[in-house]
Amino acid sequence: MSNNILEVKNLKKHFDTPKGTLHAVDGVDFTIEAGKTLGVVGESGCGKSTLGRVILHLLDSTSGEIIYDGENITKVDKKQFIDLRKEMQIIFQDPFSSLDPRMTVSEIIKEPLVIHGVTKDKNELDKRVSELMSTVGLVDRLVNAYPHELDGGRRQRIGIARALALNPKFIVADEPVSALDVSIQAQVLNLMQDLQQEFGLTYMFITHDLSVVKHISDEILVMYLGKMVEKAPAKELFANPLHPYTKALLSAIPTPSLTKKRERILLKGEIVSPIEPKPGCRFAPRCPYAEELCRTTEPEIEEVSLGHEIVCHFVKEINKL
Amino acid sequence: MSNEFLSIEDLHIHYITQEGTVKAVNGIDLKLNKGETLGLVGETGAGKTTTALGILRLIPNPPGKIMDGKIILEGRNLLELSEEEMRKIRGKKVSMIFQDPMTSLNPVMTVGEQIAEVIEIHEDVNKEEAKEKAKEMLELVGISGGRAGDYPHQFSGGMKQRVVIAIALACSPELLIADEPTTALDVTIQAQVLDLMQGLKKEFNTAMILITHDLGVVAEACDKVAIIYAGEIVEYADIESLFASPKHPYTQGLFASIPSLDEDVERLNPIKGLMPEPTDLPSGCRFHPRCPYAEAKCSEMDPKSVEVGAEHRVKCLIYSGEVSGKGIENE
């Protein structure tokens, strides 16, 4: 019996646009073990946020399967959807636009409890709000404050408290620290780790920040234009990146150290349009190793070592495996 | 005569608002030589952008006001020049790259026109020549000259930032102020833009002030670093000594907050607390409420800038011997 809380099979999300079909997520497979963190990295437009939203049913999937806790939740009716919301929650990227400016801190945190009818007793609601606030490190006196009175770090804590209100098991965190300064970012990351330990949460952590993802993840999925290009345990990925895109991505991170300089691989060009993508490997137009095969045939997932999966025709040749 | 190019002395900039006076910049001293890059590092609200706007005298007034200090560029105090003279300096001698390429371009002008505009204003050329030069500038930043007739929305984020760089470099400025030039970009594009800026800087021997919150970018691109906190420079050093041994507790805290790619750290060690309200700065050392080594004296005495090594200055009472700083790492 596996201990996977979430299993995603060949998940696709396409959008119809005036210019054609936009392949935002185009066949992604992965599993997340309960209590672990899967980091999803990629650059703007690679489909990482869409992936998170499709899993939570904030967007409907085009095809594929989502299995949560042994149950197929790809298609759900309204009743199931509401039940699901108690299990799966999201922390949004921007703590400035994801909180209602006309609601107080206590109203924001209370809202999910009221909607799901957890309790009608006013005292009990207030008690729960106060508990949640102390869990995420917000002092009680802020209970009647409005979001605009608070700084980014505190706002993000409200977002986290709101996500935790219904005791979910699985949380999608979509760039939860990107809008924060480094010292505040570190405080929020520590908080998220503590909460994971305390409540046994499972995270899907979406970010473009590679040092953050390495710090918080057990496993990392690298995406490029709606496709997975590489997946590996966090340490393995950073020690031994195999896909040409992952290599370039890791080499591009500016490191705050003068002694450990990486050799930088500069990629040519930029991400091409995900609208009606050309056949073959999506990365081929920017790939330094691309050959004819890459432009015509899509590569398959290959497991090169335990848990290290990669999607590239020439992985063996490039890495001399 | 030294080759000192820019020197800022005791600069104070305040914003006078209804809720009180925001002391954004409080006595900043900086020096910059030709061809050097200075990194100005700090968190949101530290006063980085205000300092940059101050150099160009672009502080919105009211509410902003330069209260005191000198900004000396090649022997001339910019704060004493007339608006007319200042206008000749902006875009020509000193130019600026703004943070957000999405909003710093004019959406209803082609990129070619926007580059040509600054050339026409500052150089003795006619419209046609300016257009030609604009195309050359585009080529220089790696965009085909044929796209000069395109509008900003037709470009991606990385390309828009290149256009902004092309505008800033169009009149070969001697000082370039870059305010978070790569923050809005993805890492692979950031790498391209940093690489481009380094190359152009070498080619033109431009002095540069690079404003950033990313110590990684500083390590890539700077010669000197100034760490700014609550409108004061708390540490100033050349890049080697800063990265080898950061002295100020705030600088050390910044380094400890960044998840490392090379070492496995179970837990980060962030600076506790929050930035102080700029309308209500703490007494004494501005950092003392968040400092793990603070003693009673820290809230009473204003720390002075102390020399701790060649061109390495720190504003902290530990280094002037007033406070023991027990437990601080300092080799």
Side-chain angles (χ1 to χ4, degrees):
Chain A
M1 169 75 202
S2 76
N3 196 20
N4 291 336
I5 192 162
L6 185 79
E7 191 174 353
V8 168
K9 288 184 195 161
N10 199 19
L11 191 66
K12 292 188 183 178
K13 174 66 192 171
H14 296 174
F15 294 97
D16 284 324
T17 71
K19 285 181 190 158
T21 307
L22 189 153
H23 297 230
V25 176
D26 213 9
V28 174
D29 300 78
F30 64 85
T31 55
I32 310 182
E33 216 177 296
K36 300 279 186 197
T37 302
L38 174 77
V40 180
V41 273
E43 298 180 90
S44 352
C46 74
K48 52 191 192 304
S49 291
T50 307
L51 178 63
R53 276 155 209 240
V54 170
I55 290 169
L56 290 185
H57 284 277
L58 294 173
L59 290 168
D60 286 327
S61 55
T62 305
S63 67
E65 278 181 42
I66 308 165
I67 294 153
Y68 175 78
D69 221 358
E71 213 176 313
N72 191 328
I73 58 157
T74 318
K75 295 271 179 286
V76 290
D77 59 29
K78 202 156 183 201
K79 161 93 179 47
Q80 288 169 309
F81 175 80
I82 291 171
D83 287 342
L84 214 52
R85 201 40 87 238
K86 293 183 199 160
E87 297 275 327
M88 310 167 104
Q89 282 286 336
I90 184 164
I91 301 169
F92 291 100
Q93 170 167 13
D94 183 355
F96 297 88
S97 62
S98 61
L99 301 177
D100 188 329
R102 298 196 291 186
M103 285 166 86
T104 63
V105 172
S106 118
E107 282 166 350
I108 292 169
I109 301 175
K110 215 184 280 174
E111 198 179 26
L113 298 167
V114 174
I115 288 174
H116 289 273
V118 175
T119 170
K120 287 207 168 68
D121 183 345
K122 199 175 165 300
N123 288 333
E124 208 166 307
L125 275 175
D126 286 341
K127 201 174 134 235
R128 181 81 182 117
V129 167
S130 148
E131 264 172 33
L132 284 162
M133 284 178 70
S134 80
T135 308
V136 299
L138 286 167
V139 288
D140 257 341
R141 73 179 159 82
L142 296 175
V143 69
N144 289 320
Y146 286 91
H148 77 266
E149 298 171 58
L150 307 175
D151 60 273
R154 288 211 183 98
R155 284 184 217 214
Q156 201 53 293
R157 286 171 197 264
I158 300 174
I160 296 172
R162 175 174 64 181
L164 289 174
L166 297 166
N167 295 319
K169 288 193 205 134
F170 175 69
I171 292 182
V172 172
D174 189 0
E175 306 258 14
V177 296
S178 306
L180 308 175
D181 277 318
V182 282
S183 70
I184 308 301
Q185 171 178 312
Q187 293 173 1
V188 173
L189 287 176
N190 280 349
L191 171 68
M192 288 187 66
Q193 283 179 316
D194 292 344
L195 295 173
Q196 179 164 42
Q197 291 234 315
E198 199 178 333
F199 301 111
L201 298 171
T202 308
Y203 290 136
M204 177 168 155
F205 198 102
I206 300 167
T207 181
H208 68 279
D209 187 327
L210 290 146
S211 32
V212 166
V213 88
K214 170 170 186 256
H215 179 73
I216 198 141
S217 308
D218 298 299
E219 221 184 356
I220 297 175
L221 174 85
V222 184
M223 283 183 75
Y224 189 82
L225 270 180
K227 293 266 185 196
M228 168 187 132
V229 297
E230 187 160 5
K231 191 178 75 174
K235 275 184 194 159
E236 164 75 8
L237 186 86
F238 278 82
N240 194 15
L242 297 178
H243 195 283
Y245 176 64
T246 317
K247 287 178 192 235
L249 195 64
L250 297 188
S251 81
I253 317 168
T255 29
S257 157
L258 293 177
T259 43
K260 292 181 192 121
K261 279 274 166 263
R262 291 154 211 278
E263 179 137 359
R264 174 160 295 171
I265 307 163
L266 274 187
L267 286 177
K268 296 170 294 186
E270 302 186 20
I271 283 194
V272 295
S273 164
I275 296 172
E276 306 285 353
K278 293 197 185 79
C281 172
R282 298 280 162 88
F283 184 58
R286 293 175 82 188
C287 181
Y289 307 100
E291 291 185 26
E292 200 41 45
L293 178 67
C294 305
R295 290 182 198 97
T296 52
T297 316
E298 211 166 284
E300 301 276 329
I301 297 179
E302 213 176 320
E303 185 162 10
V304 289
S305 61
L306 189 66
H308 195 155
E309 293 173 3
I310 175 161
V311 186
C312 174
H313 286 300
F314 295 106
V315 56
K316 296 216 163 69
E317 289 80 351
I318 292 167
N319 297 290
K320 302 188 180 72
L321 291 176
Chain B
M1 173 73 199
S2 71
N3 57 345
E4 194 173 293
F5 175 61
L6 174 79
S7 141
I8 299 177
E9 291 167 24
D10 200 27
L11 185 69
H12 289 261
I13 302 175
H14 293 176
Y15 292 99
I16 297 152
T17 69
Q18 285 185 339
E19 281 105 60
T21 302
V22 176
K23 294 179 179 158
V25 173
N26 303 304
I28 277 186
D29 294 289
L30 279 178
K31 284 183 179 20
L32 187 64
N33 297 328
K34 276 222 162 117
E36 251 180 14
T37 302
L38 170 79
L40 203 54
V41 182
E43 296 182 87
T44 317
K48 311 182 293 271
T49 302
T50 301
T51 307
L53 292 177
I55 297 171
L56 284 166
R57 278 189 33 202
L58 286 174
I59 302 282
N61 179 14
K65 198 158 185 246
I66 299 177
M67 306 301 285
D68 198 7
K70 284 180 190 159
I71 300 171
I72 297 165
L73 185 77
E74 292 189 310
R76 281 202 298 175
N77 186 352
L78 298 186
L79 297 182
E80 285 164 3
L81 298 184
S82 69
E83 186 52 35
E84 190 60 31
E85 288 171 301
M86 201 56 217
R87 211 175 289 150
K88 284 187 188 138
I89 287 177
R90 283 185 209 126
K92 168 81 184 144
K93 232 180 174 50
V94 184
S95 66
M96 180 146 176
I97 299 172
F98 293 92
Q99 174 166 6
D100 186 355
M102 318 301 157
T103 57
S104 52
L105 291 171
N106 186 337
V108 296
M109 274 170 88
T110 66
V111 299
E113 285 166 356
Q114 296 187 51
I115 303 171
E117 186 183 30
V118 47
I119 301 170
E120 260 180 78
I121 290 171
H122 291 292
E123 317 238 311
D124 188 19
V125 292
N126 63 31
K127 262 203 157 67
E128 281 313 304
E129 288 165 342
K131 260 193 192 154
E132 264 323 293
K133 179 86 194 293
K135 277 189 189 155
E136 277 169 40
M137 288 312 297
L138 274 183
E139 301 270 351
L140 188 72
V141 296
I143 299 176
S144 135
R147 297 202 62 186
D150 285 355
Y151 289 90
H153 74 268
Q154 292 168 289
F155 292 88
S156 68
M159 287 173 102
K160 274 188 230 178
Q161 193 59 296
R162 285 160 198 251
V163 173
V164 174
I165 293 173
I167 295 174
L169 291 175
C171 296
S172 323
E174 289 162 59
L175 172 64
L176 185 63
I177 303 173
D179 188 2
E180 307 256 11
T182 57
T183 307
L185 307 176
D186 280 317
V187 275
T188 59
I189 309 299
Q190 165 169 294
Q192 291 174 354
V193 171
L194 283 179
D195 198 59
L196 170 77
M197 285 174 55
Q198 287 295 74
L200 295 174
K201 208 193 78 174
K202 261 191 211 127
E203 204 176 319
F204 297 111
N205 197 29
T206 315
M208 183 154 90
I209 298 180
L210 180 66
I211 298 176
T212 178
H213 65 274
D214 187 335
L215 284 164
V217 171
V218 170
E220 294 287 330
C222 297
D223 306 307
K224 302 249 168 76
V225 195
I227 308 281
I228 180 165
Y229 184 80
E232 288 181 358
I233 289 175
V234 294
E235 183 156 5
Y236 173 89
D238 63 57
I239 178 158
E240 281 85 14
S241 54
L242 188 95
F243 280 81
S245 85
K247 299 286 189 202
H248 197 283
Y250 177 64
T251 317
Q252 295 181 348
L254 278 184
F255 276 104
S257 297
I258 309 170
S260 163
L261 286 173
D262 300 305
E263 287 154 45
D264 291 315
V265 187
E266 276 302 308
R267 264 185 91 73
L268 298 170
N269 198 0
I271 306 165
K272 60 180 181 183
L274 302 168
M275 285 280 282
E277 276 301 316
T279 45
D280 184 23
L281 291 176
S283 63
C285 170
R286 315 269 188 226
F287 186 60
H288 84 262
R290 300 177 74 186
C291 181
Y293 313 107
E295 294 176 12
K297 247 186 196 166
C298 296
S299 62
E300 294 153 13
M301 268 177 93
D302 269 334
K304 294 267 169 302
S305 187
V306 196
E307 195 113 345
V308 290
E311 288 214 66
H312 192 156
R313 295 201 313 269
V314 183
K315 221 174 193 180
C316 172
L317 293 174
I318 294 173
Y319 298 96
S320 56
E322 309 284 348
V323 166
S324 68
K326 221 174 144 209
I328 193 167
E329 238 178 83
N330 174 26
E331 77 290 10

